[in-house]
Amino acid sequence: MTAMESRPVTTNQHGNHDDLTQVVMRHLRSPFKKPIQEHNREAFEQAAEQVAKWQGPVILDSCCGVGESTAWLAQEHPDALVIGVDKSAHRLQRHANYQTSEQGQRYLLVRADLQDFWRLAVEQHWQLSKHYILYPNPWPKAAHLSRRWHGSPVWPYVLGLGGELVMRSNWVTYLTEVASSLALVNCAAQLQPLLAKHAPITPFERKYQRSGQQLWQLNANLPEDGRYFSAIEAE
């Protein structure tokens, strides 16, 4: 296996996690009380200033890594303000390799922890046009359900941001769990394989393709008002 290849996901799960429904419903009914870190608040406020001035659609590229997907989204959606968020300064500092002068003025890159950023965005009543959560984040061990976005206390805030949710993974169970989590709030999701010849938009996706792994995409239209769960309303 070369440095550009990646091993397939291995897991001790057989299908969706047995505790998925219980965990998701608990988080939907209980607001996330973890204190927000000041540096994340400051980073959010800088992005919020741009959103407040913007009159068009807003697209969020969560876990954007080096920002290749953010630049691609800005190119594909010139009418939108695209915001890429990642907690790693090291990854964001590598963004220049994926930036062009034509794309550079149409998006923002923000260093922040999404557990705080999403909650602040909901607090400010952001409503997204599209929300991308791309590779990787499967945490495939059964003991790590709480580390997957849909198994964490911040999941209700992803729902509260609305818009079209687009997620990709090289582990289909991760996305079937997301679909089942959305079904709990009466939101239908579509899951489909990505063709091997489709153009990758992240370094992870490119690596998985070169390794011959099957990739999957989930799409779901989240209700705009977020009135289908109680966690945020309880705050």
Side-chain angles (χ1 to χ4, degrees), residues 34-102:
K34 180 182 177 182
I36 290 176
Q37 296 180 307
E38 188 59 31
H39 68 90
N40 290 325
R41 187 181 296 277
E42 292 174 0
F44 171 79
E45 288 175 354
Q46 292 177 9
E49 288 181 7
Q50 299 300 315
V51 172
K53 297 175 184 176
W54 183 254
Q55 300 299 315
V58 176
I59 296 175
L60 188 59
D61 184 18
S62 293
C63 310
C64 69
V66 297
E68 179 182 0
S69 52
T70 313
W72 181 87
L73 288 167
Q75 186 176 22
E76 291 295 305
H77 302 280
D79 61 330
L81 173 62
V82 183
I83 303 173
V85 182
D86 200 274
K87 66 181 180 180
S88 169
H90 174 70
R91 287 192 289 265
L92 291 173
Q93 287 168 358
R94 294 168 52 204
H95 176 66
N97 295 331
Y98 302 94
Q99 183 177 15
T100 71
S101 59
E102 290 81 9

Side-chain angles (χ1 to χ4, degrees), residues 165 178-179 182-191 218-223:
L165 179 64
V178 172
L182 293 171
L184 294 173
V185 293
N186 299 315
C187 181
Q190 294 75 47
L191 183 60
L218 176 142
N219 294 74
N221 290 313
L222 303 179

Side-chain angles (χ1 to χ4, degrees), residues 45-218:
E45 288 175 354
Q46 292 177 9
E49 288 181 7
Q50 299 300 315
V51 172
K53 297 175 184 176
W54 183 254
Q55 300 299 315
V58 176
I59 296 175
L60 188 59
D61 184 18
S62 293
C63 310
C64 69
V66 297
E68 179 182 0
S69 52
T70 313
W72 181 87
L73 288 167
Q75 186 176 22
E76 291 295 305
H77 302 280
D79 61 330
L81 173 62
V82 183
I83 303 173
V85 182
D86 200 274
K87 66 181 180 180
S88 169
H90 174 70
R91 287 192 289 265
L92 291 173
Q93 287 168 358
R94 294 168 52 204
H95 176 66
N97 295 331
Y98 302 94
Q99 183 177 15
T100 71
S101 59
E102 290 81 9
Q103 297 166 336
Q105 302 304 313
R106 292 202 291 267
Y107 61 87
L108 305 173
L109 293 180
V110 180
R111 183 192 176 191
D113 188 320
L114 284 158
Q115 292 195 22
D116 287 355
F117 193 94
W118 286 336
R119 286 187 289 160
L120 290 166
V122 170
E123 183 180 294
Q124 292 296 312
H125 306 291
W126 284 20
Q127 285 291 295
L128 303 177
S129 171
K130 294 177 180 288
H131 189 181
Y132 286 79
I133 307 178
L134 303 175
Y135 314 90
N137 190 254
W139 289 103
K141 292 184 179 180
H144 292 161
L145 172 62
S146 64
R147 300 186 187 184
R148 303 170 201 163
W149 288 128
H150 54 278
S152 76
V154 79
W155 181 244
Y157 300 84
V158 175
L159 304 182
L161 287 170
E164 180 186 2
L165 179 64
V166 182
M167 301 180 72
R168 289 182 178 180
S169 182
N170 59 330
W171 186 41
V172 69
T173 300
Y174 174 64
L175 296 182
T176 61
E177 286 189 350
V178 172
S180 296
S181 300
L182 293 171
L184 294 173
V185 293
N186 299 315
C187 181
Q190 294 75 47
L191 183 60
Q192 61 185 0
L194 293 176
L195 298 176
K197 62 182 180 181
H198 90 279
I201 60 175
T202 75
F204 276 109
E205 187 170 1
R206 188 171 296 108
K207 182 169 65 173
Y208 297 149
Q209 275 191 333
R210 288 172 175 170
S211 303
Q213 297 185 36
Q214 177 62 62
L215 306 178
W216 303 84
Q217 178 169 303
L218 176 142

